[in-house]
């Protein structure tokens, strides 16, 4: 049967104390340990206010001392010296002297540490430029590694992960049809409705076909589809690869001799190159249908008249330009999403941060690329 063990209370001579014995002399007794640190600190604070001039500190009666007690004693002595007192330490044993020296060295090193100076504007600009250039080099290295892995897999098609490719086609292409179709339909309605108000003023109702057809096929449908895919699939790429990085699954793949590029990056890039043009064609058809409904209800342009004018007014190049831009958008979205996934490090918080960066960067680069194409085609008069 277990019996409770009673711990005897410390006697008066065991409790750590510091007291003034005579003018210019103080005595430290008892145990200067962490258990008595609060009381000792109150005593030293009261005593330090009354001491001046030369002081003899007798520590020979200290029975026990740990790091906390040594730190408090050293801090008290330093405060007295800064206040103009001259300290003479008496009766310190060798063990306690070693502990005091260790605490004094660590305290002096801490005092020597100075806060970092406030960085100037030029320094911040330099740090930003260095960080941006380093990220550019990393991105170029990633693009080169992806191109090399893609060429190797295309040269040896039997090593392609066809099941992964088909799975990504389903997730990024087939499953995205509802949201792409709904948004494209609404965009066709909005463009036709806004144009109808102006065209009715001039009696040019039939030109609603030109407005809806050229705007949707050439610019709106490819761009909106790419933005949707960037927010939907690009963020998923970053989150999936980033989670695998945090859980060290990528290291496990490398240890098994499986290249993460050939398993995770290349199938996603190829799947998106195939899926995004098909999604854009679907968006073209649904958006034009939404414009047809508004043209029929608001302008009295029947479906037959709309289709006849559409065949006459909409040149094939508008459709080909719109669809031809989408493979470039697909490569951008897939590479940005996968690259940010590989940049994840540390905790799960990094996954969320890089997922946000992935979506923002992908949409930004897609819009910039689309603007570049518009300027280029304008120069070529296409």
């Amino acid at each position: 049967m277990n019996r409770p063990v009673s711990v005897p209370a410390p006697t008066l001579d065991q409790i750590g104390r510091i007291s003034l014995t005579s003018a210019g002399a103080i005595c430290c007794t008892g145990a200067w340990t962490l258990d008595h640190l609060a009381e000792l600190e109150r005593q030293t604070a009261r005593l330090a206010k009354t001491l001046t001039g030369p002081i003899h500190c007798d520590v020979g009666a200290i029975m026990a001392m740990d790091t906390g007690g040594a730190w408090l004693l050293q801090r008290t002595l330093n405060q007295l010296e800064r206040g103009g007192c001259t300290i003479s330490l008496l009766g310190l044993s060798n063990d306690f002297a070693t502990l005091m020296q260790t605490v004094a060295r660590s305290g002096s090193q801490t005092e020597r540490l100075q806060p970092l100076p406030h960085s100037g504007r030029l320094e911040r600009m330099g740090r930003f430029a260095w960080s941006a250039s380093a990220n550019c080099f990393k991105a170029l290295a990633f693009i080169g590694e992806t191109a090399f892995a893609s060429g190797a897999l295309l040269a040896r098609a039997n090593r392609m992960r066809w099941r992964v490719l088909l799975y990504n086609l389903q997730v990024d292409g087939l499953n995205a049809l509802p949201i792409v179709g709904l948004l494209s339909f609404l965009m066709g309605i909005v463009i036709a409705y806004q144009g109808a108000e102006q065209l009715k003023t001039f009696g040019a109702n039939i030109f609603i076909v030109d407005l809806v057809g050229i705007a949707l096929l050439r610019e709106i449908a490819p761009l909106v589809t790419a933005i949707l895919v960037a927010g939907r699939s690009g963020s998923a790429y970053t989150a999936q690869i980033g989670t695998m990085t945090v859980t060290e699954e990528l290291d496990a793949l490398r240890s098994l001799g499986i290249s993460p590029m050939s398993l995770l990056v290349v199938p996603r890039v190829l799947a998106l190159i195939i899926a995004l043009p098909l999604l854009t064609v679907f968006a073209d058809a649904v958006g034009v249908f939404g414009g047809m409904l508004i043209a029929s209800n608001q302008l009295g342009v029947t479906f037959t008249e709309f289709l006849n004018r559409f065949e006459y007014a909409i040149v094939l190049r508008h459709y080909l330009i719109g669809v031809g831009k989408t493979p470039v958008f697909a490569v951008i979205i897939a590479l940005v999403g996968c690259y940010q996934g590989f940049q994840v490090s540390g905790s799960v918080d990094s996954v969320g941060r890089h997922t946000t960066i992935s979506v923002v960067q992908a949409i930004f680069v897609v819009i910039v690329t689309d603007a570049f194409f518009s300027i280029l085609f304008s120069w070529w008069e296409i």
Side-chain angles (χ1 to χ4, degrees):
M1 180 177 180
N2 295 330
R3 296 181 179 179
V5 178
S6 60
V7 179
T11 61
L12 291 177
D13 59 343
Q14 292 176 334
I15 299 176
R17 292 183 183 279
I18 180 171
S19 57
L20 182 64
T21 58
S22 61
I26 57 177
C27 181
C28 301
T29 61
W32 283 60
T33 58
L34 192 62
D35 297 335
H36 311 126
L37 205 60
E39 178 62 27
L40 282 169
E41 189 164 9
R42 284 192 289 269
Q43 295 177 19
T44 56
R46 288 194 301 266
L47 192 61
K49 297 178 181 179
T50 62
L51 297 175
T52 57
I55 297 174
H56 298 282
C57 181
D58 186 5
V59 295
I62 294 180
M63 301 171 54
M65 179 183 288
D66 59 8
T67 307
W71 171 81
L72 178 60
L73 181 58
Q74 184 65 42
R75 190 192 70 174
T76 304
L77 298 177
N78 292 339
Q79 289 177 348
L80 292 173
E81 289 179 350
R82 286 194 294 268
C85 299
T86 304
I87 308 297
S88 299
L89 203 58
L90 306 175
L92 187 63
S93 64
N94 293 332
D95 294 338
F96 295 164
T98 303
L99 184 58
M100 291 284 293
Q101 291 173 1
T102 304
V103 172
R105 284 196 301 268
S106 63
S108 62
Q109 291 174 359
T110 304
E111 292 175 357
R112 285 197 300 268
L113 293 177
Q114 299 295 329
L116 293 176
H118 181 69
S119 58
R121 181 177 300 178
L122 184 60
E123 181 181 354
R124 291 196 299 270
M125 291 176 59
R127 291 182 182 274
F128 174 78
W130 178 263
S131 176
S133 61
N135 289 333
C136 288
F137 282 123
K138 287 182 181 179
L140 290 175
F142 180 80
I143 293 172
E145 188 176 357
T146 304
F148 179 80
S150 301
L153 287 178
L154 292 176
R156 302 180 63 179
N158 58 335
R159 300 181 61 182
M160 175 67 70
R161 308 275 178 172
W162 296 107
R163 182 172 296 181
V164 179
L165 177 62
L166 293 176
Y167 173 77
N168 284 287
L169 274 174
Q170 177 185 354
V171 172
D172 302 328
L174 186 62
N175 295 349
L177 286 175
I179 184 63
V180 171
L182 176 62
L183 193 58
S184 300
F185 178 75
L186 295 176
M187 290 300 298
I189 289 177
V190 169
I191 293 173
Y193 187 81
Q194 295 298 326
E197 297 297 324
Q198 303 300 321
L199 293 174
K200 282 193 298 185
T201 306
F202 300 99
N205 295 3
I206 194 62
F207 288 103
I208 189 68
V209 181
D210 304 58
L211 174 64
V212 172
I214 296 177
L216 278 175
L217 269 62
R218 185 168 179 136
E219 293 294 339
I220 302 298
L223 186 60
V224 169
T225 305
I227 291 174
L228 280 176
V229 172
R232 184 179 181 276
S233 300
S235 60
Y237 294 168
T238 305
Q240 291 167 1
I241 298 176
T243 304
M244 295 178 70
T245 303
V246 172
T247 56
E248 299 181 354
E249 292 181 50
L250 294 183
D251 296 333
L253 289 176
R254 294 187 181 98
S255 65
L256 293 174
I258 301 175
S259 172
M261 301 297 296
S262 61
L263 179 64
L264 301 175
V265 179
V266 176
R268 284 175 165 83
V269 174
L270 294 180
L272 212 56
I273 290 175
I274 298 172
L276 193 57
L278 297 177
L279 288 173
T280 303
V281 173
F282 177 71
D284 290 339
V286 176
V288 169
F289 178 71
M292 290 173 61
L293 291 178
I294 296 300
S296 176
N297 293 330
Q298 297 292 322
L299 299 176
V301 179
T302 64
F303 286 4
T304 303
E305 293 173 343
F306 191 98
L307 292 176
N308 291 334
R309 175 66 184 179
F310 189 88
E311 183 180 0
Y312 169 77
I314 307 303
V315 185
L316 182 61
R317 71 169 185 273
H318 298 309
Y319 169 78
L320 294 179
I321 287 174
V323 176
K325 293 186 292 187
T326 54
V328 181
F329 296 162
V331 172
I332 292 172
I333 295 168
L335 288 180
V336 170
C338 294
Y339 171 73
Q340 290 297 333
F342 281 104
Q343 299 306 305
V344 172
S345 61
S347 63
V348 180
D349 294 338
S350 181
V351 177
R353 184 171 63 256
H354 283 279
T355 301
T356 303
I357 294 173
S358 169
V359 175
V360 173
Q361 285 186 350
I363 294 176
F364 175 77
V365 177
V366 163
I367 293 176
V368 170
T369 305
D370 185 67
F372 172 76
F373 280 136
S374 298
I375 297 172
L376 190 64
F377 294 147
S378 176
W379 284 351
W380 292 346
E381 298 181 355
I382 299 178

